[in-house]
Amino acid sequence: MILCVGLATVDLVYRVDRIPGADEKAQATGFEVAAGGPAANAAVTAAALGAPVTLVTAIGSHPLGALIRSDLEAHGVRVIDAAHDSAGPPPVSSIVVAGRDRTIISRNAGNLRLAVPPDGLPEADLTLVDGHHPVLAVAAAKAARRLVVDAGTWRPVFADILPHAEVVACSAAFRHPAGAVDAPHVVVTHGPEPVTWVSGGVTRLIAVPPVEAVETSGAGDAFHGALAHALHEAATMDAALTEAIRVAGVRVAHPGARDWLSSL
């Protein structure tokens, strides 16, 4: 089983012909509501690829939380809500997409403080954390048999998480304040450019096949979910990265939050 721990949001996705400017109104050409967030999107990807997946996150009892649960469960993800008694709204993101351009306004976890569920975290063969909900993230990292860290941007909690990681997958924007990340495998994505993989002091480049990108939202999350799935299936690191690149390529070649999954 793959355990994903981190952020789940309500994503309100508006599609427009172009990103509007200040004080400008725009008529949406399309609209979607889906669960979002790095850990949630990675969980959906791994589940679509065939793995049993559990997501530990914070949703709460607010009516908007039902949107998150229904989407995740419809895509095969078991959900454990560490904030089930919270009446406040869950994290919400408004995403305006115009082709490959996007603007995101989000209220992520805010000031919500969580504890590990009374029954603890479920055992898993592989764990993925995104650094949101720090108490849950640290507990999951310490208990993980194998840990993949989605390090999109630096978060202070990563100082406690990274020492437990087998794989740290960073975006090119990630900046560790102490310098280099110390983990058995450090992966850095650069959009359409080759993926950098550092292991045992050796740096390798993994080519990214050209893709006609239609929408880039969630590409990194898809990459992380596919990487976790491949490692869970005992793939070598080289093969796992190749698969993660393939899946991210499928994601960007299709518009929409979930329709692309049928092309995997």
Side-chain angles (χ1 to χ4, degrees), residues 39-50:
N41 284 334
V44 167
T45 302
L49 291 167

Side-chain angles (χ1 to χ4, degrees), residues 85-263:
D85 57 352
S86 172
V92 177
S93 293
S94 292
I95 305 168
V96 181
V97 179
R100 284 179 275 183
D101 297 324
R102 60 178 178 163
T103 296
I104 302 174
I105 301 174
S106 61
R107 172 70 171 172
N108 288 338
N111 297 320
L112 185 64
R113 294 291 179 262
L114 300 175
V116 175
D119 294 335
L121 299 174
E123 292 189 6
D125 302 303
L126 184 141
T127 300
L128 180 148
V129 300
D130 64 10
H132 292 273
H133 305 309
V135 171
L136 297 179
V138 171
K142 290 180 177 179
R145 295 174 182 169
R146 304 179 68 188
L147 179 66
V148 175
V149 178
D150 170 357
T153 55
W154 171 258
R155 300 179 185 281
V157 71
F158 284 143
D160 297 319
I161 292 173
L162 296 186
H164 303 280
E166 176 183 338
V167 180
V168 179
C170 314
S171 71
F174 183 83
R175 296 290 182 272
H176 192 307
V181 176
D182 184 17
H185 302 284
V186 178
V187 177
V188 183
T189 58
H190 304 269
E193 301 303 316
V195 171
T196 305
W197 166 31
V198 181
S199 179
V202 178
T203 300
R204 304 169 178 85
L205 296 179
I206 310 294
V208 174
V211 176
E212 184 61 37
V214 175
E215 183 176 327
T216 59
S217 298
D221 305 337
F223 180 94
H224 296 131
L227 179 63
H229 173 264
L231 293 173
H232 177 263
E233 297 300 304
T236 64
M237 192 64 191
D238 195 350
L241 287 173
T242 300
E243 169 66 356
I245 291 168
R246 180 193 73 82
V247 170
V250 174
R251 172 65 193 98
V252 301
H254 296 80
R258 299 286 183 248
D259 289 347
W260 69 279
L261 296 169
S262 62
S263 298

